[in-house]
Amino acid sequence: MWSVKDVYYVSDSTAILAEGMGRALLCQFPEINFNEERIPFVRDAADARKALARILKQSGGRSPLVFCTIVQTEPRLILDSPEIEFFDLLGPVLERLEHCLEAKALREPGFSHQADRLTLARRVDAIHYSIEHDDGTRTREYDKAEIILAGVSRSGKTPVCVYLATQMGYKAANFPLTAEYLDQYQLPQELLKQKQMLVGLTSSPQVLHEFREKRYGGSRYARLDTCTQELEQAQRIFDRYKIPVIATNGRSIEEIAVAAIEALKGARPRGHRG
Amino acid sequence: MWSVKDVYYVSDSTAILAEGMGRALLCQFPEINFNEERIPFVRDAADARKALARILKQSGGRSPLVFCTIVQTEPRLILDSPEIEFFDLLGPVLERLEHCLEAKALREPGFSHQADRLTLARRVDAIHYSIEHDDGTRTREYDKAEIILAGVSRSGKTPVCVYLATQMGYKAANFPLTAEYLDQYQLPQELLKQKQMLVGLTSSPQVLHEFREKRYGGSRYARLDTCTQELEQAQRIFDRYKIPVIATNGRSIEEIAVAAIEALKGARPRGHRG
């Protein structure tokens, strides 16, 4: 077994996809240390030669792994050197797709990231909406929200909302369950009007305690028994109003975001965002 | 050529990666309409049977495309039905990697998205930092920033910062070049102290004009000549202080984010974030 491997993510665009694929694969080998580098914007033969020279200089003789998502044939052939372990992630699939779809692929570099104006405008709007509706602000505009996350302080609402907006284009608001709601086991009217958009976030008392200690160590707010009590009160509110709930502990931001959208899909009729 | 195809993204985790791969491939066939659906969290044989039944019911007989990133063998074999076009995106690469690395893959479902606590905490901190340092606020804390974007109003600073934080874990601040700086061709001291973290964003007058019209139609602020003048003034500031500049028009949020990081890497000595 190799103990260390150099890994390169090479792409005609951002190399974010190549990195995502590489990481999903390499995490299945937790005993090996990987030195990773992204080489984005490799658009032609000259770029490919430069990238190859860089890779060979840095990792020559140690068979680096190269994960490549370039769609054009020529730069790919240049990079596919005998001195590296070359993984062509898109090429073979693209060929099979041409056969399945009975169509010819464009093979235009960076095409997938060319900004479709509508999609871009939608994501930009969603990001601004989510920042402007963070932490219970502007609740009167909740009728524009496509998802609203509720939960106690530090249960992870803000990062998940920001992810939903940035990556998935949803207008995501979030509402903190503070003492005035927890103690009364009720939600405000502005929120109840949009109940079909509402998803609750919960966590374990221990994880919440750790998050809060980091910011306000030693406070009553951060104490384990306070966390336990608030999470129980929040759960009673979610039960009372039949709000779907996602447990966040041990899960990534992506997983919580996708689980929240799935929960909404299950709770309401299927729309165009299905 | 097919004019319409059903496409499913099936995964043991969020299916975000399968969707990303699928879209990078399918965008090379712009004349075909694709009906897409994500089927996340397919973790065992029972989940796989349920997913297959759903796919066959909805698209039976029309050979739907299924892009799959499941690492376990059994659910994959269940999904690989003769009635669908099954694309196993990770399986074959994982086998070749086992050979290259002389190691056995874990093949644990959802492993890549299991929240590594350090990475998660880092991203959560970065997101909070970026929201709290949006639009020129708390400039005294710029010493904590890992990247600072500067540009005129509506040049795309906020969405790119949020992306850098959410997806890439960078503490990203942004600073608006308002009239007081543009007219004097200078930047404030707090910003100049962190000049090595600074990247400028620019756009075309036409695109900026359109963005501004959408929000404040008919205003002096949105006028094309105002946009032209402000972008020219901003460019003079970037030139004066030798700040790397990224053109944002026609590019996606991802592309601008990666280009900004590359620009910083080029401008300063290589650090651990390289």
Side-chain angles (χ1 to χ4, degrees):
Chain A
M1 190 194 292
W2 288 72
S3 58
V4 181
K5 263 285 181 195
D6 288 351
V7 182
Y8 294 87
Y9 304 116
V10 187
S11 162
D12 52 39
S13 180
T14 60
I16 290 169
L17 180 63
E19 184 180 58
M21 279 290 286
R23 290 197 170 160
L25 291 155
L26 299 179
C27 74
Q28 298 288 332
F29 302 92
E31 288 170 39
I32 304 176
N33 289 306
F34 297 102
N35 297 322
E36 303 169 290
E37 183 173 333
R38 257 198 320 261
I39 307 185
F41 308 123
V42 175
R43 298 244 158 132
D44 54 30
D47 291 343
R49 277 188 207 100
K50 214 173 118 190
L52 180 63
R54 177 177 177 79
I55 293 169
L56 290 180
K57 190 182 163 204
Q58 290 186 168
S59 315
R62 294 193 307 275
S63 302
L65 308 178
V66 175
F67 293 104
C68 175
T69 56
I70 296 176
V71 290
Q72 281 184 305
T73 308
E74 196 191 358
R76 268 194 283 139
L77 289 176
I78 291 168
L79 279 159
D80 190 1
S81 144
E83 291 169 79
I84 65 182
E85 294 286 355
F86 186 74
F87 291 83
D88 179 4
L89 298 176
L90 296 184
V93 192
L94 206 55
E95 274 171 35
R96 199 181 134 206
L97 270 178
E98 288 183 313
H99 182 75
C100 292
L101 296 169
E102 298 160 21
K104 195 104 194 86
L106 289 179
R107 292 177 199 269
E108 278 187 27
F111 195 71
S112 72
H113 278 284
Q114 266 175 36
D116 163 350
R117 279 207 188 182
L118 265 176
T119 312
L120 181 63
R122 184 188 167 86
R123 282 172 71 194
V124 170
D125 283 351
I127 290 171
H128 283 290
Y129 183 91
S130 298
I131 291 181
E132 286 160 8
H133 297 79
D134 184 37
D135 211 27
T137 45
R138 302 208 207 175
T139 53
R140 280 185 208 167
E141 294 169 358
Y142 275 4
D143 56 326
K144 303 274 189 308
E146 295 174 297
I147 182 167
I148 305 170
L149 300 183
V152 302
S153 168
R154 304 299 289 177
S155 56
K157 302 179 297 298
T158 298
V160 176
C161 277
V162 167
Y163 185 88
L164 282 164
T166 311
Q167 202 64 17
M168 302 168 83
Y170 285 92
K171 287 184 179 158
N174 75 76
F175 187 86
L177 296 178
T178 50
E180 62 182 304
Y181 306 107
L182 292 173
D183 293 344
Q184 308 286 326
Y185 297 105
Q186 64 181 17
L187 295 177
Q189 273 310 311
E190 300 99 306
L191 205 55
L192 290 177
K193 271 191 221 155
Q194 302 300 324
K195 202 168 83 68
Q196 78 283 7
M197 298 298 173
L198 205 53
V199 176
L201 295 190
T202 192
S203 184
S204 76
Q206 188 59 43
V207 167
L208 191 62
H209 166 63
E210 281 171 31
F211 272 133
R212 290 182 172 187
E213 272 291 324
K214 235 181 88 183
R215 205 140 185 179
Y216 300 100
S219 66
R220 189 183 173 285
Y221 161 83
R223 262 168 42 194
L224 185 61
D225 58 347
T226 306
C227 294
T228 306
Q229 191 195 350
E230 288 191 13
L231 288 170
E232 282 172 4
Q233 289 176 312
Q235 187 61 53
R236 274 185 59 183
I237 293 178
F238 299 144
D239 290 344
R240 175 179 174 188
Y241 295 106
K242 297 191 174 59
I243 296 164
V245 180
I246 310 289
T248 61
N249 40 307
R251 304 177 90 175
S252 68
I253 296 172
E254 287 86 344
E255 277 192 318
I256 302 163
V258 170
I261 294 299
E262 291 292 303
L264 274 197
K265 280 203 292 189
R268 68 182 182 206
R270 212 176 151 202
H272 76 289
R273 297 298 297 270
Chain B
M1 190 195 292
W2 288 72
S3 58
V4 181
K5 262 286 182 195
D6 287 350
V7 182
Y8 294 87
Y9 304 116
V10 187
S11 162
D12 51 38
S13 181
T14 60
I16 290 170
L17 180 63
E19 185 181 57
M21 280 289 286
R23 290 194 169 162
L25 292 155
L26 299 179
C27 73
Q28 299 288 330
F29 302 93
E31 288 171 38
I32 303 175
N33 289 306
F34 297 101
N35 296 322
E36 303 168 291
E37 184 174 330
R38 258 199 319 262
I39 307 184
F41 308 123
V42 175
R43 298 244 157 133
D44 54 30
D47 291 343
R49 278 188 206 101
K50 215 172 117 191
L52 180 62
R54 177 177 177 80
I55 293 169
L56 291 179
K57 191 182 162 204
Q58 290 187 168
S59 315
R62 295 193 306 273
S63 303
L65 308 179
V66 175
F67 293 104
C68 175
T69 56
I70 296 176
V71 290
Q72 280 185 305
T73 309
E74 196 191 358
R76 268 195 283 140
L77 290 176
I78 291 168
L79 280 159
D80 190 1
S81 144
E83 290 168 78
I84 64 181
E85 294 285 356
F86 186 74
F87 291 83
D88 179 4
L89 298 176
L90 297 185
V93 192
L94 206 55
E95 275 171 35
R96 199 181 134 206
L97 270 178
E98 287 182 314
H99 182 75
C100 292
L101 296 168
E102 297 160 23
K104 194 106 193 84
L106 289 178
R107 293 178 198 269
E108 278 188 27
F111 194 71
S112 71
H113 277 284
Q114 265 175 37
D116 162 351
R117 278 206 188 184
L118 265 176
T119 312
L120 181 63
R122 184 187 168 85
R123 281 172 72 194
V124 169
D125 283 352
I127 291 169
H128 283 289
Y129 183 90
S130 298
I131 292 180
E132 286 160 8
H133 297 78
D134 183 37
D135 210 28
T137 45
R138 302 209 208 174
T139 52
R140 280 184 207 167
E141 293 169 359
Y142 274 4
D143 56 327
K144 303 276 190 307
E146 294 173 299
I147 182 167
I148 306 169
L149 301 183
V152 302
S153 168
R154 302 300 289 176
S155 57
K157 302 180 297 296
T158 298
V160 176
C161 277
V162 167
Y163 185 88
L164 282 164
T166 312
Q167 203 63 18
M168 302 168 82
Y170 285 94
K171 287 185 178 160
N174 74 76
F175 186 87
L177 297 178
T178 50
E180 62 182 305
Y181 306 107
L182 292 173
D183 293 343
Q184 308 286 327
Y185 299 104
Q186 65 180 15
L187 296 176
Q189 274 310 312
E190 300 98 305
L191 205 54
L192 289 177
K193 272 189 222 156
Q194 302 301 322
K195 201 167 85 67
Q196 77 284 8
M197 298 297 172
L198 205 53
V199 176
L201 295 190
T202 191
S203 185
S204 77
Q206 188 59 43
V207 167
L208 191 62
H209 165 63
E210 281 171 30
F211 271 132
R212 290 182 172 187
E213 272 291 323
K214 233 182 88 184
R215 206 142 183 175
Y216 300 99
S219 66
R220 189 184 172 285
Y221 159 84
R223 266 169 40 194
L224 185 61
D225 59 347
T226 307
C227 294
T228 306
Q229 190 196 349
E230 288 192 13
L231 288 171
E232 283 172 5
Q233 289 176 312
Q235 187 61 53
R236 275 185 58 182
I237 293 178
F238 299 144
D239 290 344
R240 175 179 174 188
Y241 294 106
K242 298 190 174 59
I243 296 164
V245 180
I246 310 289
T248 61
N249 39 307
R251 303 177 90 175
S252 68
I253 297 172
E254 288 85 345
E255 278 192 318
I256 303 164
V258 170
I261 294 299
E262 291 292 303
L264 274 196
K265 281 202 292 189
R268 70 181 182 208
R270 209 175 154 204
H272 76 289
R273 297 297 298 271

